[in-house]
Amino acid sequence: MRKGLTVLLYVSVIILAFIYRYDLLDWLRGDHSPVLSFIAAVLLALFPVLPYKLVIGLFGYVYGGFWAAVICWSATTIAASVMYGLVKYLFQQRAFTYLSSVPALHRFTSAIQRRPFASIVLARLLPVIPQTAVNIYAGAAGLPFWSYLAASGIGKLPGIALYAFLGGSLSGHPGSVIAALALYGAVLAAAGWSLRIQAADKPKE
């Protein structure tokens, strides 16, 4: 019963926030206290009704790149911890049963459990992977919490810093924007190269 109510509440909040998503955007564009902005950043990370890259960019425009990065990094880290806990302690058995029933996901789970830290860092770095899915997957697979949290914090930094900087640079510094994108691309390339090196060094069974 408690689990059903949790799911119902979560879905209801997402639907309500989605209906009023344009009002949320207008509110985010305004100048608010840092406390209210931080609470909004946490809630929008927990209930992803808006692309979070857009949220980070708006915060960068309002607060500047540095403070936007601090607010959004802290907010997403808290949201990731909450989502991990909810899945692990309320729905882990169901989620893990589903993961184990899909052969491809089972192999992926095994790979992550062998190298959880590096895998989560890479998953956080890649912009094409939904971050909510990473939170749910980590809780379902039962990854070590502190390793997951540290890897998430490190992996989130480059992307959040990039979008916060881009939001703070909307007034126009094309050279800086290009340099930031190039730096982010270099970070992604280095992460991919590191993963390939680890895979090559792994002894064959």
Side-chain angles (χ1 to χ4, degrees):
M1 187 69 171
R2 183 180 60 181
K3 296 178 181 180
L5 288 175
T6 301
V7 173
L8 180 62
L9 177 62
Y10 185 79
V11 172
S12 299
V13 172
I14 285 183
I15 292 173
L16 187 64
F18 182 78
I19 292 172
Y20 292 101
R21 63 191 184 280
Y22 296 115
D23 298 292
L24 285 172
L25 279 174
D26 291 336
W27 187 87
L28 287 173
R29 293 189 185 99
D31 187 13
H32 309 287
S33 74
V35 174
L36 284 177
S37 296
F38 179 74
I39 293 173
V42 173
L43 292 176
L44 287 170
L46 275 173
F47 305 98
V49 295
L50 294 171
Y52 210 78
K53 299 176 182 64
L54 174 61
V55 174
I56 298 169
L58 285 173
F59 273 63
Y61 180 74
V62 174
Y63 294 104
F66 176 77
W67 287 112
V70 170
I71 291 172
C72 292
W73 181 84
S74 302
T76 55
T77 300
I78 290 174
S81 302
V82 172
M83 184 64 68
Y84 172 96
L86 287 174
V87 173
K88 182 173 182 179
Y89 295 109
L90 293 181
F91 306 102
Q92 184 182 25
Q93 190 58 50
R94 291 183 184 178
F96 188 75
T97 299
Y98 170 73
L99 292 176
S100 301
S101 69
V102 182
L105 288 179
H106 179 68
R107 289 193 294 270
F108 184 57
T109 300
S110 300
I112 286 184
Q113 288 176 333
R114 284 196 300 270
R115 285 194 297 268
F117 192 88
S119 300
I120 293 298
V121 169
L122 186 63
R124 295 302 191 188
L125 282 171
L126 295 176
V128 296
I129 298 179
Q131 297 305 295
T132 301
V134 177
N135 301 334
I136 295 173
Y137 191 91
L143 301 185
F145 175 73
W146 292 111
S147 177
Y148 156 77
L149 190 63
S152 293
I154 293 171
K156 286 171 178 289
L157 271 175
I160 288 177
L162 171 66
Y163 290 108
F165 175 79
L166 293 178
S169 302
L170 288 178
S171 54
H173 295 286
S176 299
V177 171
I178 293 172
L181 291 171
L183 180 60
Y184 185 59
V187 170
L188 291 179
W193 178 77
S194 175
L195 198 65
R196 289 184 62 184
I197 291 297
Q198 289 184 32
D201 291 340
K202 180 185 174 183
K204 294 183 179 180
E205 297 180 355

